[in-house]
Amino acid sequence: MSLDPVFMPAPERHVLRKALENRSFLVGLVITALVAVTALVSFVWTPYDITRLSVANRMLSLSAEHPFGTDHMGRDILSMIMIGARNSIAVAIVAVGIGMGIGVPLGAWAAARGGWTDEVLMRVNDVVFAFPALLSAVMITAVFGPGAVNAIIAIGIFNVPVFARVARAGALSLWPREFILAARAAGKGKALITVEHILPNIASVLLVQGTIQFALAILAEAGLSYLGLGTQPPMPSWGRMLFDAQTRIAVAPHLALFPGLAIVITVLGLNLLGDGLRDVLDPRLRRQR
Amino acid sequence: MSLLEIENLSLEIGDTPILKNIDLSIAPGEVMGLVGESGSGKSMTALAVMRLLPHDARADGRVTFDGIDILAAPEAAMCRLRGDDIGMVFQEPMTALNPVKTIGEQVAEGIRWHTGANRADAEARARAMLERVGLPERQFPLTRYPHELSGGQRQRVVIAIACALKPKLLIADEPTTALDVVLQAQILDLLRELVDENRMSLLLISHDLAVVAEMTDRVTIIRQGTVMEAGETARVLSRQEHPYTRQLAEASTHVPARARAPGRAAGAEPLLKVEGLTRDYPVRRASLFSPARTFRAVDGVSFALGGGQSMALVGRSGCGKSTLARMVLALDRPTSGSIRFLGEEIGARSADELRVARRNMQPVFQDPYGSFDPRQKVERLVAEPLHLLDGKPDGARRRELVAEALEQVGLAPSDMEKYPHEFSGGQRQRLAIARAIITRPKLIVADEPVSALDVSIRAQILDLFADLRDRLGVAYLFITHDLTVARAITETVMVMHEGRIVEAGPTETVLGNPQTEPAKALVAAAPDLQRALERRLVRSAG
Amino acid sequence: MTAYLLRRLTIAIATLLVASLVVFSILEILPGDPARIMLGMNASADTLEALRTEMGLDRPVVARYLSWLGGMATGDFGRSLTYSSSVTDLVLERLAVSLPLAAIALALSTAIAIPVGVFAASRRGHAADTLSMGAAQVGVAVPNFWFALLLVYVFAVGLRLVPAGGFPGWGETWASHFEALKALVLPAVSLALPQAAILARVTRSAMVEVMGEDYIRTARAKGLPRRVVLWRHALRNALIPVLTIMGLQFAFLLAGTIIIENVFYLPGLGRLIFQAISQRDLIVVEGVVMLLVASVILINLLVDICYAAVDPRLRTGR
């Protein structure tokens, strides 16, 4: 990505005011918060118990009792979507966490060391980049059988080089700056400078990238679950619900509609949040408005 | 009748007023200087004439060019004017050319667009034009890309584009500010020749009174979007009737009042002694099979600097002076040679062994915006070098030291609660100096410390440097391309050229009577307000 | 130029070698006994032994890796246990579906995205920009397999314009070619549109960024109208980041192809790999994964070559 790696910040309170004036940010924040709250609520309450199957209530259409209808086993779709949100978010958090937790230190280290270390790390990055999450998941499933952990590992691995590249590019653009030279002249070592100056200054780029990757992780998880490589039944997941809906699309299209909308709204919210954050944190892009 | 007539021009961008009731007129064949400090609105005036303003800008008043009402003309009419009757040269040659198109295409493009000439004819004219601006086809074929040219050569291409169709008016916006003095003199000569040959009018925008005195017939001085004074250049700049004009003129020739430099105790070891210093950089190979090559940025440099002394290192851009400064600061390792500071070799020391040296030697950099971590408060930033002290001062002691340093550079102790972006450029340079003196160093290495500042701010910062030397006895190594800085504040000067020191000695002697070619070229090219005015007066008298 | 290309080529080959090591390790070393995985728990000792011999599991690991690598270099990806035919033949047969699908999707998304992105950038702040970028914003969020389901519901179930799935084969006649192409329309569109949304956004922001550059002002000062500057000066510079994203997107397109083939029951590589997983046919999985990884690396090499074509700064040795 050709993001400008380093945003020169405004002071914190200005950022807050700008954020509240930014439509993308606000809409994104509200959607994301709603999805998160829904997922949390599902731990304590859902309209129906989704472990109770009922042949009599199979594939009911939309009604006051079941606003999104019921699926082929008579389970309430709204309840399933609520629990599915929990599942999607959990997978995305862990996968992005893996990517950031490994990728950022690697990228910052490569930039600080330069030379061979940098070259080797970047070539390793190239190799990982050649394995889309789906291929990793395919290999893991072929050997160990299907499971939700496969999806987390596969998506997490693919996130590592993404964050490593972003962190490295940001750090590389900072190292020649004069304030870093001044820190070196103040006797500070590379590790200390990375912690005190580099990481705080690339934090906003990483945050923006983080929201983008979070959205991608939710899409990827849905795809893997759809293919049967991710979350396994009976645990509800948006991707799996779409798979179940596929063969019944002619008779009960609502089965496919709502899980899909849930994915679109969640991903849209996260992307809007990311765009908003970028506008707020990067004065360079704002100027061009 | 005048060619360009600006009457009562006002301009707002968003809600910010930029220009207020500007009047300016240029007669055919006349050279007009537009002078002002940064943010005065001089570039926006030029863009208003071209009607290339940012899209949220609103202009009021009248701009008439050759009988055409510019502010009211349809866009198509403006496209016919731009590049044909009005040409423009910009400040930044490194970014003014499209990196993916050849110089031939870029010069020929305007010719084809306006004259409808076919490719071959347009290229022939482009070739002639490039030859005229000093880029003969033998060395600079039309198929060259911008990245294959130096900054000065690129500016020549930009001039070729602007002058290709012999416009009636040429606008040059700080055309030499990004170039070193020698290139500046060459580019200014070229502009003057082109203007004379084609009887063009020239609107020369500059912050540099000496350049304007050298080049222009009449001058308009603006400040914060308002015209302060306008008139014949020689008269305005020699009489200096308007207080702002006087202030600018004084600031640009300012020499800080100072006590004499302390004499060095005979036989004592100098503070800094550099011997046979060399730095090679590897050059990317042209192909896999060509041998590895290196570029020698610094080549066998030796010099010594005594305690409390002030020395300038001058030279053209790319001569290796910044590389030398970084090696002295132990931010870059020499390929060979030795640097002794306080009697200790620092060339190949580990970070830990360098603590004492670093405590006694601090940098001040050029860019007042890039010198500070934008996410930290002044207290932390100025206190950063305290990291070098053996017993780290506690919070209260640290604040005391920061407050003291801030006071010494003329800032208030309460400023330590602020972020760097809350300060102006000049104030930030004061912050940089406060950071540099907080460990009470014996040497400050300053790399172009005032070249990014406006003249009036620059005079104040030079005063501050002189004052601190008197009070703290600190020695300076000034790296600069600006000879007036060297004259103002140093006793000795070294002239660097292609990695070597070609001439060194007392500042007055070397700059007053240079012996080597590179030094002569630097001195001859350096703009000088007094000299330019004298020449102008002689010319108008004769 | 040649130095740059040689360097990129060397990197691509090295990446491919390391990637093959990764694939081999995961599928042949990590499981311990791949033969047992392939045959399952109930296999008799004799059949297990036979398969181990056939796969060469009795040989040292390094020798196995090298002979696997050597085989692939000569086009031999081994023999599938379940299909009892060579993996190469299986793959070639399936490529006849997957390759056209990916190519049509890529062409379609590029053909839509770049004009839309440039247009939006040229009308920045106007209604056309807001609308097209709003649509793109939503498009980025749509999972391609869900979009595919919607398309099936509307065009196959509802309007009955195209088949809901399956693939008749390319056949010999023009009519059968046409039927085959018809079967690929919905899959290609459902792959292409979400891709196009991303690419259009990248194109627009790259154009907006480039339009703020100094050389654009220089071109305007020559008297060129804005729209001419947009096409002649801005687009080529904006292509550099667009190419980068296209390279990265290819990996997603590939994954998308695998998913979409499963939505439409197309007999492509995606279906092959899933049948192989459910039958635990590690040899087929290994071969197909390796092929897909190689194609990602190849595309990135092509992107590097395009960089050099677009950007003269990469062509000279500086």
Side-chain angles (χ1 to χ4, degrees), chain A residues 226 246 253 256 260 275 284 288, chain C residues 124 137 146 153 201 209 263:
Chain A
Y226 170 83
Q246 186 179 339
D275 279 8
R284 195 181 55 94
Q288 294 175 352
Chain C
R124 185 155 57 107
Q137 179 73 272
W146 182 61
Y153 183 66
R201 278 167 58 84
E209 173 136 9
V263 178

Side-chain angles (χ1 to χ4, degrees), chain B residues 57-193:
Chain B
R58 273 187 308 114
D60 282 314
R62 260 184 93 78
V63 178
T64 321
F65 173 80
D66 212 10
I68 300 169
D69 182 354
I70 295 261
L71 295 182
E75 179 61 20
M78 282 313 297
C79 284
R80 281 195 296 276
L81 277 187
R82 292 186 205 120
D84 195 0
D85 292 332
I86 312 177
M88 186 156 177
V89 177
F90 302 94
Q91 173 172 355
E92 215 15 277
M94 299 313 273
T95 53
L97 293 171
N98 188 339
V100 305
K101 284 179 169 267
T102 64
I103 59 172
E105 284 176 272
Q106 297 192 53
V107 178
E109 187 176 29
I111 299 171
R112 292 187 69 184
W113 183 260
H114 287 290
T115 65
N118 63 30
R119 182 181 295 269
D121 290 347
E123 273 181 8
R125 287 185 68 173
R127 196 173 291 124
M129 195 61 221
L130 282 169
E131 172 115 33
R132 175 61 198 93
V133 298
L135 301 173
E137 199 188 10
R138 217 162 7 88
Q139 291 152 274
F140 303 96
L142 298 184
T143 51
R144 284 287 177 94
Y145 285 97
H147 72 273
E148 297 168 300
L149 305 180
S150 69
Q153 290 161 352
R154 290 189 209 190
Q155 196 63 312
R156 287 171 192 272
V157 177
V158 176
I159 292 173
I161 292 173
C163 297
L165 293 163
K166 309 211 180 336
K168 293 175 184 153
L169 172 65
L170 180 65
I171 301 174
D173 185 1
E174 302 269 12
T176 57
T177 307
L179 305 173
D180 68 41
V181 282
V182 174
L183 286 174
Q184 162 163 294
Q186 292 170 2
I187 294 291
L188 290 176
D189 281 344
L190 174 64
L191 283 175
R192 193 167 22 216
E193 288 165 22

